[in-house]
Amino acid sequence: MARLPRRAPDELDGEALELHEKITSGPRGASMIDERGALVGPFTAMLLSPPVGDALQELGAAIRYRSTLPPRARELAILTVADHWGSAFERRAHESAGRAAGLTEEELATLHSDDPFEAAVLSTTRRLLESGDLTDDEYAALDERTLFELTTLVGYYATLAMQLRVYRVT
């Protein structure tokens, strides 16, 4: 059972309402609200501390919409983090995004790619999740900007997975 109730816009005020409007008017839009207009998933908790929640959702927007990671590679990495942390919400949300990015049902099910770049992203993501570090050879598998964006993605989605678990969001 969810520990944190969803709050519709008419139940919010001040900074929380401003953050709600910012999230729902952005690229995530209506995909992150329920039938009452309340935020779903990790965004519900972000309203508890609007200054921190805003910074966190801005980081997520930068990872999803402004990084150089190609959409297929990005979604494979997100899904790998979701699987590692057992985050059913993120898995569902990003399977849909993965399909839109061109991932096949087999790729979604196995989190595997024959593309060399995508395979390197997957391998690096798994290694980061397993050990939190990379060997020199693993470090050299991706350029430094891609690696920075990928390590940020892994940390961000791990944070969301933990919050979703703590607040019992499924």
Side-chain angles (χ1 to χ4, degrees):
M1 175 179 209
R3 291 178 169 166
L4 188 62
R6 294 180 185 167
R7 294 172 41 206
D10 62 357
E11 300 172 280
L12 303 172
D13 58 12
E15 291 180 315
L17 182 58
E18 288 176 28
L19 180 56
H20 180 282
E21 290 172 358
K22 186 174 183 178
I23 292 168
T24 58
S25 68
R28 296 174 187 106
S31 69
M32 288 296 121
I33 57 173
D34 68 12
E35 64 283 346
R36 298 181 316 120
L39 291 168
V40 299
F43 301 102
T44 303
M46 291 179 192
L47 298 176
L48 296 171
S49 175
V52 175
D54 188 30
L56 188 59
Q57 73 86 23
E58 279 289 339
L59 176 60
I63 291 166
R64 290 260 334 262
Y65 306 110
R66 299 189 296 271
S67 78
T68 60
L69 284 170
R72 285 176 48 92
R74 182 189 64 237
E75 294 306 321
L76 283 166
I78 293 168
L79 288 164
T80 300
V81 175
D83 268 11
H84 178 82
W85 289 104
S87 183
F89 179 89
E90 290 298 344
R91 180 72 192 199
R92 279 192 315 274
H94 287 279
E95 281 181 346
S96 176
R99 284 184 192 95
L103 295 173
T104 66
E105 292 304 314
E106 181 181 348
E107 289 169 326
L108 290 168
T110 62
L111 297 178
H112 174 80
S113 175
D114 291 327
D115 176 84
F117 176 78
E118 292 172 0
V121 166
L122 281 165
S123 175
T124 302
T125 300
R126 288 183 177 115
R127 182 71 173 143
L128 290 169
L129 291 166
E130 290 166 7
S131 71
D133 197 4
L134 301 172
T135 66
D136 289 343
D137 287 341
E138 291 165 336
Y139 178 89
L142 298 169
D143 68 82
E144 289 179 328
R145 179 174 179 156
T146 299
L147 190 55
F148 174 77
E149 291 177 356
L150 185 59
T151 58
T152 304
L153 177 152
V154 170
Y156 173 77
Y157 281 96
T159 297
L160 293 188
M162 179 174 42
Q163 291 173 343
L164 289 164
R165 180 177 295 151
V166 167
Y167 291 109
R168 303 294 191 263
V169 177
T170 58

